Amino acid sequence: MQIDSSLSHVFLQEQENLSRTNVYTRPDPLITPPPSQQDLERIEETKRTAPQDVVQFNGIEIDLETYNGNSQDEEEGLDIRNTTPREMSDISLDLYIDGSLTYDEYSMLAFQPELHPRFEATVGALTGQRADPDRPRDYIAEWEEKYDFERRYPSGNEKTLKQIDRILGVLQGFQRSLDFVA
């Protein structure tokens, strides 16, 4: 490739100029200018109107009031032995965000077949059950049954039994925290 001599001269001159300038005198292109008065007013307006208790997590809005102990569920106490599938789906997300469950454990606990719109045409057709996602269930007893079934008839995945055991431990932890002497 042939470089034009006049262009190479310009290039060398530019390099010399850059090497002579002090690093501290050059404007830093990474520093952003201060916000204008209009930007400051818009930011203040957004602060006043934006909800302060809601955060985004993986595209899901989460009300932080739930985690501060101010929610109705926290005041009344959470009864895992009397929880609907809809509530369990929400609780499992809270436990995952809290760090109590891994993603795989969250997936196992959050999966509630009765919430699927085609439950009655699939699982319900095989079992003869109708979907009733608002009927309370004893989730500790259900996960104890799953644990016993996995022990008797192992799926071949060693991780599954540990995950079920961990989910059961977390659910039983709710029960232990609610059993206190007044």
Side-chain angles (χ1 to χ4, degrees):
M1 181 166 132
Q2 197 65 284
I3 298 177
D4 186 14
S5 61
S6 63
L7 290 178
S8 64
H9 177 67
V10 172
F11 179 68
L12 288 174
Q13 189 178 20
E14 185 64 28
Q15 279 208 317
E16 285 178 17
N17 290 339
L18 286 174
S19 64
R20 285 188 194 129
T21 58
N22 188 347
V23 177
Y24 300 105
T25 60
R26 280 188 286 171
D28 190 357
L30 298 178
I31 297 177
T32 58
S36 67
Q37 185 62 30
Q38 290 175 338
D39 290 339
L40 290 173
E41 291 172 1
R42 187 176 39 83
I43 291 169
E44 286 301 316
E45 181 64 27
T46 304
K47 283 182 183 177
R48 278 187 248 119
T49 60
Q52 299 298 317
D53 296 352
V54 177
V55 295
Q56 289 274 350
F57 178 78
N58 287 343
I60 301 170
E61 288 188 358
I62 300 168
D63 186 2
L64 293 178
E65 192 174 306
T66 306
Y67 298 101
N68 294 335
N70 297 333
S71 71
Q72 189 175 359
D73 292 338
E74 291 292 324
E75 291 171 6
E76 295 174 5
L78 188 61
D79 186 8
I80 298 297
R81 293 197 179 269
N82 193 24
T83 302
T84 68
R86 290 185 203 280
E87 293 170 337
M88 184 51 69
S89 182
D90 292 339
I91 292 167
S92 62
L93 178 62
D94 294 342
L95 292 172
Y96 171 63
I97 292 171
D98 182 61
S100 301
L101 297 176
T102 66
Y103 180 77
D104 291 337
E105 294 162 351
Y106 153 71
S107 297
M108 292 172 74
L109 186 59
F111 177 69
Q112 300 296 322
E114 289 185 64
L115 296 178
H116 192 279
R118 296 204 15 96
F119 175 83
E120 292 177 8
T122 55
V123 176
L126 295 172
T127 61
Q129 295 178 325
R130 295 187 50 82
D132 191 7
D134 297 316
R135 182 178 55 88
R137 314 281 188 331
D138 183 351
Y139 277 94
I140 292 177
E142 284 190 17
W143 282 91
E144 286 173 343
E145 287 175 20
K146 289 179 186 186
Y147 182 79
D148 290 340
F149 183 85
E150 184 64 28
R151 279 191 29 212
R152 281 183 300 203
Y153 310 104
S155 63
N157 185 356
E158 299 171 9
K159 198 172 155 184
T160 304
L161 187 62
K162 290 178 185 176
Q163 290 171 334
I164 293 172
D165 185 42
R166 185 159 153 66
I167 291 169
L168 187 55
V170 169
L171 294 179
Q172 288 171 338
F174 280 108
Q175 189 65 29
R176 283 191 294 273
S177 66
L178 295 176
D179 291 339
F180 59 90
V181 179

